[in-house]
């Protein structure tokens, strides 16, 4: 196992399109987090799963955002009807004690 | 409200010099505190993790301190190198609730020759 994997690493899309990001956590990590990070800022919490249960959602996560972790393993983050303000790095992290981050998925909305 | 404040916001130092980054937190109940290094365009990488009972922890040229009474932590970088240029993020874990991690905004360090 090589760590937390995110796909795609980069995504450029036109405003109004839908995008989906995938996160594969480290095996047997029960906790999975999604964060959004803009340039020069620290990561902002979006949502958190313990196994397959989504335990917390930030108010930053508007109705256009949805996250799933169907079998308690990988997770997806979908953004519908993207807006230019959605342009950011989307970070996934997993933990079973120690917290490990993926390399992020950078979204650019034109 | 649980918060993590980092200072300075940014810092420029000459290669070879030492520097210290600060992290103050108002998180309760406290579980642990982590320092991460984040290179531009990359995910954060863990440097240290400290629990309530630990005062100092080193990782190579990085030394973290924790004062749980004053709720302050510092990250000291010795003999800085150009590759130390990055953002350094302080993260505090809350020992309850469903949002267990509180992030600081980070300190942007630039090491110049």
């Amino acid at each position: 196992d090589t760590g937390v994997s995110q796909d795609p690493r980069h995504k450029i899309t036109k405003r109004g399109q839908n995008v989906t990001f995938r996160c594969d956590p480290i095996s047997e990590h029960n906790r999975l987090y999604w964060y959004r990070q803009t340039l020069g800022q620290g990561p902002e919490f979006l949502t958190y799963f313990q196994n397959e249960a989504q335990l917390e959602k930030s108010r930053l996560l508007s109705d256009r955002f949805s996250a799933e972790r169907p079998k308690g393993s990988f997770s997806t983050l979908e953004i519908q009807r993207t807006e230019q303000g959605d342009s950011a790095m989307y970070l996934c992290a997993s933990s079973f004690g120690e917290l490990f981050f993926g390399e992020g998925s950078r979204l650019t909305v034109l | 409200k649980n918060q993590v404040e980092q200072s300075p916001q940014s810092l420029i130092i000459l290669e070879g010099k030492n520097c210290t980054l600060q992290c103050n937190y108002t998180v309760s109940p406290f579980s642990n505190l982590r320092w991460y290094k984040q290179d531009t365009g990359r995910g954060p990488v863990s440097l240290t993790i400290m629990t309530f009972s630990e005062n100092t922890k080193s990782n190579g040229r990085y030394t973290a301190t924790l004062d749980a009474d004053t709720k302050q932590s510092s990250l000291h970088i010795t003999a800085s190198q150009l590759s130390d240029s990055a953002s350094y993020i302080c993260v505090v874990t809350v020992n309850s609730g469903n949002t267990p991690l509180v992030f600081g905004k980070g300190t942007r360090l630039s090491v110049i020759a």
Side-chain angles (χ1 to χ4, degrees):
Chain A
D1 191 279
T2 58
V4 180
S5 177
Q6 292 190 244
D7 183 71
R9 290 290 314 280
H10 303 276
K11 178 71 175 179
I12 300 173
T13 191
K14 292 183 179 180
R15 189 175 51 188
Q17 298 295 305
N18 299 342
V19 296
T20 298
F21 300 115
R22 175 178 169 126
C23 173
D24 286 272
I26 294 172
S27 297
E28 299 179 357
H29 275 197
N30 60 341
R31 293 183 173 186
L32 186 147
Y33 306 82
W34 284 101
Y35 291 87
R36 181 172 69 187
Q37 187 176 29
T38 53
L39 196 63
Q41 299 295 314
E44 295 175 299
F45 171 76
L46 292 179
T47 190
Y48 156 56
F49 291 86
Q50 182 149 319
N51 299 313
E52 66 274 12
Q54 189 172 18
L55 296 185
E56 186 77 10
K57 290 170 59 174
S58 165
R59 63 180 182 275
L60 294 175
L61 217 64
S62 74
D63 291 344
R64 297 184 297 105
F65 288 70
S66 62
E68 295 182 343
R69 194 182 183 196
K71 297 182 180 179
S73 56
F74 74 92
S75 176
T76 58
L77 176 68
E78 181 183 16
I79 308 173
Q80 296 182 326
R81 305 181 302 283
T82 53
E83 301 174 354
Q84 287 184 325
D86 297 331
S87 296
M89 173 81 88
Y90 290 86
L91 288 166
C92 176
S94 72
S95 76
F96 191 78
E98 184 69 35
L99 180 71
F100 293 89
F101 283 87
E103 293 286 20
S105 293
R106 178 163 294 283
L107 174 65
T108 301
V109 182
L110 302 177
Chain B
K1 181 181 178 182
N2 289 326
Q3 286 187 315
V4 174
E5 300 286 341
Q6 291 189 244
S7 63
Q9 187 174 15
S10 62
L11 182 62
I12 302 174
I13 62 173
L14 292 174
E15 185 180 14
K17 297 296 186 181
N18 304 336
C19 67
T20 300
L21 314 180
Q22 299 290 343
C23 173
N24 297 341
Y25 60 93
T26 55
V27 171
S28 182
F30 173 90
S31 178
N32 58 60
L33 184 147
R34 315 164 196 244
W35 282 95
Y36 284 85
K37 177 187 178 186
Q38 186 176 24
D39 293 316
T40 301
R42 307 293 296 275
V45 174
S46 179
L47 293 176
T48 66
I49 178 171
M50 302 181 73
T51 59
F52 185 88
S53 59
E54 295 175 300
N55 299 119
T56 302
K57 183 171 281 191
S58 292
N59 178 0
R61 293 179 298 101
Y62 301 101
T63 299
T65 65
L66 175 65
D67 186 333
D69 291 331
T70 61
K71 298 188 177 182
Q72 296 180 328
S73 176
S74 66
L75 181 69
H76 186 76
I77 304 175
T78 303
S80 60
Q81 300 176 357
L82 297 178
S83 59
D84 292 332
S85 296
S87 288
Y88 292 83
I89 303 172
C90 177
V91 184
V92 180
T93 302
V94 184
N95 199 20
S96 68
N98 289 330
T99 312
L101 303 175
V102 186
F103 281 73
K105 292 184 183 291
T107 292
R108 178 70 202 173
L109 174 65
S110 299
V111 181
I112 59 175

